[in-house]
Amino acid sequence: MSAFHALTLTGLDGKPLPLSDLAGQVVLVVNVASRCGLTPQYAALQRLHEQYRESGFSVLGVPCNQFAGQEPGSETEIGDFCRLNYGVSFPMTAKLDVNGPQRHPLYQLLAGEGAEYPGDISWNFEKFLIGPDGGVLGRFSPPTAPDDPALVQAIERALGL
């Protein structure tokens, strides 16, 4: 089992969210926030999730309040906001730290020392593309829209489409 799939996170609902459930799928991990200029990316993330989920793809939203306090709400408030405003149905974790001394092991794996694409997360909506084997295939900057041709092409390539 890959290091990615060995992790178990906590979902927005407070229940365990084992990443082993995503083994064999292509996953786009995105640190998200509800009060960010990039928040409208939720709509395109949901469209990606719906378009490719039957092919073995999932978005994984990771709320983070480390960037200008743009995700201040509780997990319940975050979930309600995402469902009501953007129809989000993809899995989401409880809030995590993506940088600093309390960086969650997920982000240590994705961006820490020795990672395929190391370096601090620059802002909300930074994206990591994870292959079916749990390996990191790419890192995309926050302004990269979920429907950006380069990102879509990387997803389709990973899915073998």
Side-chain angles (χ1 to χ4, degrees), residues 110-130:
L110 296 176
E113 190 175 316
E116 188 74 26
Y117 298 93
D120 278 350
I121 305 306
S122 60
W123 199 254
N124 301 309
F125 291 90
E126 193 144 337
K127 301 155 193 77
F128 289 87
L129 185 63
I130 312 298

Side-chain angles (χ1 to χ4, degrees), residues 122-154:
S122 60
W123 199 254
N124 301 309
F125 291 90
E126 193 144 337
K127 301 155 193 77
F128 289 87
L129 185 63
I130 312 298
D133 64 355
V136 181
L137 301 176
R139 181 173 179 171
F140 299 86
S141 68
T144 302
D147 55 3
D148 180 276
L151 178 53
V152 172
Q153 184 178 28

Side-chain angles (χ1 to χ4, degrees), residues 94-106:
K95 282 197 274 192
L96 302 180
D97 280 358
V98 299
N99 289 330
Q102 300 301 313
R103 175 184 267 171
H104 189 275
L106 171 63

Side-chain angles (χ1 to χ4, degrees), residues 28 30 32 38-54 57-61 79 81-92 125 127 145-147 151-152 155:
L28 188 66
V30 187
V32 295
L38 299 174
T39 299
Q41 285 191 20
Y42 268 125
L45 289 169
Q46 179 61 28
R47 284 193 300 275
L48 267 183
H49 181 73
E50 290 172 3
Q51 181 176 354
Y52 293 107
R53 75 173 159 214
E54 295 300 320
F57 173 78
S58 181
V59 172
L60 177 64
F81 172 85
C82 291
R83 276 188 302 279
L84 293 172
N85 293 290
Y86 296 102
V88 167
S89 65
F90 52 80
M92 291 185 62
F125 291 90
K127 301 155 193 77
D147 55 3
L151 178 53
V152 172
I155 291 168

